[in-house]
Coordinates of all heavy atoms in Angstrom, one line a residue:
M1 N 68.7 144.3 29.8 CA 69.8 144.5 30.8 C 69.3 143.8 32.1 O 68.1 143.9 32.4 CB 70.0 146.0 31.0 CG 70.7 146.6 29.8 SD 70.9 148.4 29.9 CE 71.1 148.7 28.2
K2 N 70.2 143.3 32.7 CA 69.9 142.5 33.9 C 69.0 143.2 34.9 O 69.3 144.3 35.4 CB 71.3 142.1 34.6 CG 71.1 141.2 35.7 CD 72.4 140.9 36.4 CE 72.2 140.1 37.6 NZ 73.5 139.9 38.4
D3 N 67.9 142.5 35.2 CA 67.0 143.0 36.2 C 66.5 144.5 36.0 O 66.0 145.1 36.9 CB 67.6 142.9 37.6 CG 67.9 141.5 38.0 OD1 67.2 140.6 37.6 OD2 69.0 141.3 38.7
N4 N 66.6 144.9 34.8 CA 66.2 146.3 34.4 C 66.7 147.4 35.2 O 66.1 148.3 35.6 CB 64.7 146.3 34.3 CG 64.2 147.6 33.6 OD1 64.9 148.1 32.7 ND2 63.0 148.1 34.0
V5 N 68.0 147.2 35.6 CA 68.7 148.2 36.4 C 68.7 149.5 35.7 O 68.4 150.6 36.2 CB 70.1 147.8 36.8 CG1 70.9 149.0 37.4 CG2 70.1 146.6 37.7
F6 N 69.0 149.5 34.4 CA 69.0 150.7 33.6 C 67.6 151.4 33.6 O 67.6 152.6 33.8 CB 69.4 150.4 32.1 CG 69.1 151.6 31.2 CD1 69.9 152.7 31.2 CD2 68.0 151.6 30.3 CE1 69.7 153.8 30.4 CE2 67.8 152.7 29.5 CZ 68.6 153.8 29.6
G7 N 66.5 150.7 33.4 CA 65.2 151.3 33.3 C 64.9 152.0 34.7 O 64.3 153.1 34.7
K8 N 65.2 151.4 35.8 CA 64.9 151.9 37.1 C 65.7 153.2 37.3 O 65.2 154.2 37.8 CB 65.2 150.9 38.2 CG 64.2 149.7 38.1 CD 64.6 148.7 39.1 CE 63.8 147.4 39.0 NZ 64.3 146.3 39.8
R9 N 67.0 153.1 36.9 CA 67.9 154.3 37.1 C 67.4 155.4 36.2 O 67.5 156.6 36.6 CB 69.3 153.9 36.8 CG 69.9 152.9 37.8 CD 70.7 153.6 38.9 NE 70.9 152.7 40.0 CZ 71.8 151.7 40.0 NH1 72.6 151.5 39.0 NH2 72.0 150.9 41.1
L10 N 67.1 155.1 35.0 CA 66.7 156.2 34.1 C 65.4 156.9 34.6 O 65.4 158.1 34.6 CB 66.4 155.6 32.7 CG 65.8 156.6 31.7 CD1 66.9 157.6 31.3 CD2 65.4 155.8 30.4
K11 N 64.5 156.1 35.1 CA 63.3 156.7 35.7 C 63.6 157.6 36.9 O 63.1 158.7 37.0 CB 62.3 155.6 36.0 CG 60.9 156.2 36.5 CD 60.0 155.0 36.7 CE 58.6 155.6 37.1 NZ 57.6 154.5 37.3
E12 N 64.4 157.1 37.8 CA 64.8 157.9 38.9 C 65.5 159.2 38.5 O 65.1 160.3 39.0 CB 65.8 157.1 39.8 CG 65.2 155.9 40.5 CD 66.3 155.0 41.2 OE1 67.5 155.3 41.1 OE2 65.9 154.0 41.7
L13 N 66.4 159.1 37.6 CA 67.2 160.3 37.2 C 66.2 161.3 36.5 O 66.3 162.5 36.7 CB 68.3 160.0 36.2 CG 69.5 159.2 36.9 CD1 70.4 158.6 35.8 CD2 70.3 160.2 37.8
R14 N 65.3 160.8 35.7 CA 64.4 161.6 34.9 C 63.5 162.3 35.9 O 63.2 163.5 35.8 CB 63.5 160.8 34.0 CG 62.5 161.5 33.2 CD 61.7 160.6 32.3 NE 61.0 159.6 32.9 CZ 59.8 159.7 33.6 NH1 59.3 160.9 33.7 NH2 59.2 158.7 34.1
Q15 N 62.9 161.6 36.9 CA 62.0 162.2 37.9 C 62.7 163.2 38.8 O 62.2 164.2 39.2 CB 61.4 161.1 38.7 CG 60.4 160.3 37.9 CD 59.7 159.1 38.7 OE1 60.3 158.6 39.6 NE2 58.5 158.8 38.2
E16 N 64.0 162.9 39.1 CA 64.8 163.9 39.9 C 64.9 165.2 39.2 O 65.0 166.2 39.9 CB 66.2 163.3 40.2 CG 66.2 162.2 41.3 CD 67.6 161.6 41.5 OE1 68.6 162.1 40.9 OE2 67.6 160.5 42.1
K17 N 65.0 165.1 37.9 CA 65.1 166.4 37.1 C 63.8 167.0 36.8 O 63.7 168.1 36.2 CB 65.9 166.1 35.8 CG 67.4 166.2 36.0 CD 68.1 166.4 34.6 CE 69.5 166.7 34.9 NZ 70.1 167.5 33.8
G18 N 62.7 166.3 37.1 CA 61.4 166.8 36.8 C 61.0 166.8 35.4 O 60.3 167.7 34.9
I19 N 61.6 165.8 34.6 CA 61.4 165.8 33.2 C 60.4 164.7 32.9 O 60.4 163.6 33.4 CB 62.7 165.5 32.5 CG1 63.8 166.5 32.8 CG2 62.5 165.3 31.0 CD1 65.1 166.2 32.3
S20 N 59.4 165.0 32.0 CA 58.5 164.0 31.5 C 59.1 163.0 30.5 O 60.2 163.3 30.0 CB 57.3 164.7 30.9 OG 57.7 165.3 29.6
Q21 N 58.5 161.9 30.3 CA 58.9 161.0 29.3 C 58.9 161.6 27.9 O 59.8 161.5 27.1 CB 58.1 159.7 29.3 CG 58.3 158.8 30.5 CD 57.4 157.6 30.4 OE1 56.4 157.5 29.7 NE2 57.8 156.6 31.2
R22 N 57.9 162.4 27.7 CA 57.8 163.1 26.4 C 59.0 164.1 26.2 O 59.6 164.1 25.2 CB 56.5 163.9 26.3 CG 56.3 164.7 25.0 CD 55.0 165.4 24.9 NE 53.9 164.5 25.1 CZ 53.3 163.7 24.2 NH1 53.8 163.7 23.0 NH2 52.3 162.9 24.4
R23 N 59.3 164.9 27.2 CA 60.4 165.8 27.1 C 61.8 165.1 26.9 O 62.6 165.4 26.1 CB 60.5 166.7 28.3 CG 61.6 167.7 28.3 CD 61.5 168.7 27.2 NE 62.7 169.5 27.1 CZ 63.4 169.7 25.9 NH1 63.0 169.2 24.8 NH2 64.5 170.4 25.9
L24 N 62.0 164.0 27.7 CA 63.2 163.2 27.5 C 63.3 162.6 26.1 O 64.4 162.6 25.5 CB 63.3 162.1 28.6 CG 64.7 161.5 28.8 CD1 65.7 162.5 29.2 CD2 64.6 160.4 29.8
G25 N 62.2 162.1 25.6 CA 62.1 161.6 24.3 C 62.6 162.7 23.3 O 63.3 162.4 22.3
E26 N 62.1 163.9 23.4 CA 62.4 165.0 22.5 C 63.9 165.3 22.6 O 64.6 165.5 21.6 CB 61.7 166.3 22.9 CG 60.2 166.2 22.6 CD 59.4 167.4 23.3 OE1 60.0 168.2 24.0 OE2 58.2 167.4 23.0
I27 N 64.5 165.2 23.8 CA 65.9 165.5 24.0 C 66.7 164.4 23.2 O 67.7 164.8 22.5 CB 66.3 165.5 25.4 CG1 65.7 166.7 26.1 CG2 67.8 165.4 25.7 CD1 65.7 166.7 27.6
F28 N 66.3 163.2 23.2 CA 67.1 162.1 22.6 C 66.5 161.7 21.2 O 67.0 160.8 20.6 CB 67.2 160.9 23.5 CG 68.0 161.2 24.7 CD1 67.5 161.4 25.9 CD2 69.4 161.3 24.6 CE1 68.2 161.7 27.0 CE2 70.2 161.7 25.7 CZ 69.6 161.9 26.9
G29 N 65.5 162.4 20.7 CA 65.0 162.1 19.4 C 64.3 160.9 19.2 O 64.3 160.2 18.2
V30 N 63.5 160.5 20.3 CA 62.7 159.3 20.3 C 61.3 159.7 20.9 O 61.2 160.7 21.5 CB 63.3 158.1 21.1 CG1 64.6 157.7 20.5 CG2 63.4 158.5 22.6
C31 N 60.3 158.8 20.7 CA 59.0 159.2 21.2 C 58.9 158.8 22.7 O 59.8 158.0 23.2 CB 57.9 158.5 20.4 SG 57.9 156.7 20.5
N32 N 57.9 159.3 23.3 CA 57.8 159.1 24.8 C 57.5 157.6 25.0 O 57.9 157.1 26.1 CB 56.7 159.9 25.4 CG 55.3 159.7 24.8 OD1 55.2 159.8 23.6 ND2 54.4 159.4 25.7
Q33 N 57.0 156.9 24.1 CA 56.7 155.5 24.3 C 58.0 154.7 24.3 O 58.2 153.7 25.1 CB 55.8 154.9 23.1 CG 55.4 153.5 23.3 CD 54.5 153.0 22.3 OE1 54.3 153.6 21.2 NE2 53.8 151.9 22.5
T34 N 59.0 155.1 23.6 CA 60.3 154.5 23.6 C 61.0 154.7 25.0 O 61.5 153.7 25.6 CB 61.3 155.1 22.6 OG1 60.7 154.8 21.3 CG2 62.7 154.5 22.6
I35 N 60.8 155.9 25.6 CA 61.3 156.1 27.0 C 60.6 155.2 27.9 O 61.2 154.5 28.8 CB 61.1 157.6 27.4 CG1 61.8 158.5 26.4 CG2 61.5 157.8 28.8 CD1 63.3 158.4 26.4
S36 N 59.3 155.0 27.7 CA 58.5 154.1 28.6 C 59.1 152.7 28.4 O 59.2 151.9 29.4 CB 57.1 154.1 28.2 OG 56.3 153.2 29.0
F37 N 59.3 152.2 27.2 CA 59.9 150.9 26.9 C 61.2 150.7 27.6 O 61.5 149.7 28.2 CB 60.0 150.6 25.5 CG 58.7 150.4 24.7 CD1 58.6 150.7 23.4 CD2 57.6 149.9 25.3 CE1 57.5 150.5 22.7 CE2 56.4 149.6 24.6 CZ 56.4 150.0 23.3
W38 N 62.0 151.7 27.6 CA 63.3 151.7 28.3 C 63.1 151.5 29.8 O 63.8 150.7 30.4 CB 64.2 152.9 28.0 CG 64.7 153.0 26.6 CD1 64.6 152.1 25.6 CD2 65.2 154.2 26.0 NE1 65.2 152.6 24.4 CE2 65.5 153.9 24.6 CE3 65.5 155.5 26.5 CZ2 66.1 154.8 23.8 CZ3 66.1 156.4 25.6 CH2 66.4 156.1 24.3
E39 N 62.2 152.3 30.3 CA 62.0 152.3 31.8 C 61.4 151.0 32.2 O 61.7 150.6 33.4 CB 61.2 153.5 32.2 CG 61.9 154.8 32.1 CD 61.1 156.0 32.5 OE1 59.9 155.9 32.9 OE2 61.7 157.1 32.6
T40 N 60.6 150.4 31.4 CA 60.0 149.1 31.9 C 60.9 147.9 31.5 O 60.5 146.8 31.9 CB 58.6 148.9 31.2 OG1 58.7 148.9 29.8 CG2 57.7 150.0 31.7
G41 N 61.9 148.1 30.7 CA 62.8 147.0 30.3 C 62.3 146.2 29.1 O 62.9 145.2 28.7
S42 N 61.3 146.8 28.4 CA 60.8 146.1 27.2 C 61.8 146.2 26.0 O 61.9 145.4 25.2 CB 59.5 146.7 26.8 OG 58.5 146.6 27.8
R43 N 62.5 147.3 26.0 CA 63.5 147.6 25.0 C 64.7 148.2 25.7 O 64.7 148.7 26.8 CB 63.0 148.5 23.9 CG 61.9 147.9 23.1 CD 61.6 148.7 21.9 NE 60.4 148.1 21.2 CZ 59.6 148.8 20.5 NH1 59.8 150.0 20.3 NH2 58.6 148.2 19.9
E44 N 65.8 148.3 24.9 CA 67.1 148.9 25.4 C 67.6 149.8 24.4 O 67.6 149.6 23.2 CB 68.1 147.8 25.7 CG 67.7 146.8 26.8 CD 68.6 145.7 26.9 OE1 69.6 145.6 26.1 OE2 68.4 144.8 27.8
P45 N 68.2 151.0 24.8 CA 68.8 151.9 23.9 C 70.1 151.3 23.4 O 70.7 150.4 24.0 CB 69.1 153.1 24.7 CG 69.2 152.6 26.1 CD 68.3 151.4 26.2
D46 N 70.6 151.8 22.2 CA 71.9 151.4 21.7 C 73.0 152.1 22.5 O 72.7 152.9 23.3 CB 72.0 151.7 20.2 CG 71.9 153.2 19.9 OD1 72.2 154.0 20.7 OD2 71.5 153.5 18.7
L47 N 74.2 151.6 22.3 CA 75.3 152.1 23.0 C 75.5 153.7 22.9 O 75.8 154.3 23.9 CB 76.6 151.4 22.6 CG 77.9 151.8 23.4 CD1 77.7 151.6 24.9 CD2 79.1 151.1 22.9
D48 N 75.4 154.2 21.7 CA 75.6 155.6 21.6 C 74.5 156.4 22.4 O 74.8 157.4 23.0 CB 75.4 156.0 20.1 CG 76.6 155.6 19.3 OD1 77.7 155.4 19.9 OD2 76.5 155.5 18.0
T49 N 73.3 155.9 22.4 CA 72.3 156.5 23.2 C 72.5 156.4 24.7 O 72.3 157.3 25.5 CB 70.9 156.0 22.8 OG1 70.7 156.1 21.4 CG2 69.8 156.7 23.6
L50 N 73.0 155.2 25.1 CA 73.4 155.0 26.5 C 74.4 156.1 27.0 O 74.3 156.7 28.0 CB 73.9 153.6 26.8 CG 72.9 152.5 26.9 CD1 73.6 151.2 27.0 CD2 72.1 152.7 28.2
L51 N 75.4 156.3 26.1 CA 76.5 157.2 26.4 C 75.9 158.6 26.5 O 76.3 159.4 27.3 CB 77.6 157.1 25.4 CG 78.4 155.8 25.4 CD1 79.3 155.8 24.2 CD2 79.2 155.7 26.7
A52 N 75.0 158.9 25.6 CA 74.4 160.3 25.6 C 73.5 160.5 26.8 O 73.5 161.6 27.4 CB 73.5 160.5 24.3
I53 N 72.8 159.5 27.3 CA 72.0 159.6 28.5 C 72.9 159.8 29.7 O 72.6 160.7 30.5 CB 71.1 158.3 28.6 CG1 70.1 158.2 27.6 CG2 70.5 158.2 30.0 CD1 69.4 156.9 27.5
A54 N 74.0 159.0 29.8 CA 74.9 159.2 30.9 C 75.5 160.6 30.9 O 75.6 161.3 32.0 CB 76.1 158.2 30.8
H55 N 75.8 161.1 29.7 CA 76.4 162.5 29.6 C 75.3 163.5 30.0 O 75.6 164.5 30.8 CB 76.8 162.7 28.2 CG 77.5 164.1 28.0 ND1 76.8 165.1 27.5 CD2 78.7 164.5 28.3 CE1 77.6 166.2 27.5 NE2 78.7 165.8 27.9
Y56 N 74.1 163.3 29.5 CA 73.0 164.3 29.8 C 72.8 164.4 31.3 O 72.6 165.5 31.9 CB 71.7 163.9 29.1 CG 70.6 164.7 29.5 CD1 70.4 166.0 28.9 CD2 69.6 164.3 30.4 CE1 69.4 166.8 29.2 CE2 68.6 165.1 30.7 CZ 68.4 166.4 30.1 OH 67.4 167.2 30.5
F57 N 72.7 163.2 32.0 CA 72.5 163.2 33.4 C 73.7 163.4 34.3 O 73.7 163.4 35.5 CB 71.7 161.9 33.8 CG 70.3 161.9 33.4 CD1 69.9 161.1 32.4 CD2 69.3 162.7 34.0 CE1 68.5 161.0 32.0 CE2 68.0 162.7 33.6 CZ 67.6 161.9 32.6
E58 N 74.9 163.5 33.6 CA 76.1 163.7 34.3 C 76.5 162.6 35.3 O 76.8 162.9 36.4 CB 76.2 165.1 34.9 CG 76.0 166.2 33.9 CD 76.0 167.6 34.5 OE1 75.7 167.8 35.8 OE2 76.3 168.6 33.8
V59 N 76.3 161.4 34.9 CA 76.6 160.2 35.7 C 77.5 159.3 34.8 O 77.4 159.3 33.6 CB 75.4 159.5 36.2 CG1 74.5 160.4 37.0 CG2 74.5 158.9 35.0
P60 N 78.3 158.5 35.5 CA 79.1 157.5 34.8 C 78.2 156.5 34.2 O 77.2 156.1 34.8 CB 80.1 156.9 35.8 CG 79.7 157.5 37.1 CD 78.6 158.5 36.9
L61 N 78.6 155.9 33.0 CA 77.8 154.9 32.4 C 77.5 153.7 33.3 O 76.4 153.2 33.4 CB 78.5 154.4 31.1 CG 77.8 153.4 30.3 CD1 76.4 153.9 29.8 CD2 78.6 153.0 29.1
E62 N 78.5 153.3 34.1 CA 78.4 152.3 35.1 C 77.2 152.5 36.0 O 76.6 151.5 36.4 CB 79.7 152.1 35.8 CG 80.9 151.6 35.0 CD 81.6 152.8 34.3 OE1 81.3 153.9 34.6 OE2 82.3 152.4 33.3
Q63 N 77.0 153.7 36.4 CA 75.9 154.0 37.3 C 74.5 153.7 36.7 O 73.6 153.3 37.4 CB 75.9 155.5 37.8 CG 74.9 155.8 38.8 CD 74.9 157.2 39.3 OE1 76.0 157.9 39.2 NE2 73.8 157.8 39.7
L64 N 74.5 153.8 35.4 CA 73.2 153.4 34.7 C 73.0 151.9 34.6 O 71.9 151.5 34.4 CB 73.2 154.1 33.3 CG 73.1 155.5 33.2 CD1 73.2 156.0 31.8 CD2 71.8 156.1 33.8
L65 N 74.1 151.2 34.6 CA 74.0 149.8 34.2 C 74.2 148.8 35.3 O 73.8 147.6 35.2 CB 75.0 149.5 33.1 CG 74.9 150.3 31.9 CD1 76.0 150.0 30.9 CD2 73.5 150.1 31.2
E66 N 74.9 149.2 36.4 CA 75.2 148.2 37.5 C 74.5 148.5 38.8 O 74.2 149.6 39.1 CB 76.8 148.3 37.7 CG 77.6 148.0 36.5 CD 79.1 148.2 36.7 OE1 79.5 148.6 37.8 OE2 79.8 147.8 35.8
D67 N 74.3 147.4 39.5 CA 73.7 147.4 40.8 C 74.7 148.1 41.8 O 75.8 148.0 41.7 CB 73.3 146.0 41.3 CG 72.0 145.6 40.8 OD1 71.2 146.4 40.5 OD2 71.9 144.4 40.6

């Protein structure tokens, strides 16, 4: 995703909630390394997971993806 906007936003939202990468991984059924990959921009979640993340953090999908 362009300039890793998603990864930066995910990390911000996760830290605001005080959730570790491990805990967030458990919530979404992935390992903490996957969360790390998402946050650094090495990998991207699929659309269903993006929607679930937006729902979990109670933000519009656009907020996760756009500057």
Side-chain angles (χ1 to χ4, degrees):
M1 289 174 203
K2 185 179 172 188
D3 300 322
N4 194 28
V5 171
F6 167 73
K8 292 173 187 173
R9 295 265 164 75
L10 178 63
K11 185 174 182 176
E12 289 170 4
L13 290 167
R14 179 180 61 76
Q15 290 177 335
E16 285 174 12
K17 277 202 170 204
I19 300 171
S20 68
Q21 288 180 341
R22 181 176 305 278
R23 179 66 188 127
L24 194 62
E26 290 170 355
I27 290 167
F28 292 105
V30 298
C31 68
N32 62 306
Q33 186 174 15
T34 299
I35 302 297
S36 177
F37 286 153
W38 292 348
E39 290 182 355
T40 61
S42 300
R43 294 191 185 154
E44 299 172 354
D46 61 27
L47 181 57
D48 288 338
T49 305
L50 278 173
L51 292 170
I53 291 168
H55 183 263
Y56 176 79
F57 287 109
E58 299 178 336
V59 298
L61 183 59
E62 295 80 13
Q63 184 178 335
L64 291 175
L65 303 176
E66 298 175 357
D67 279 330

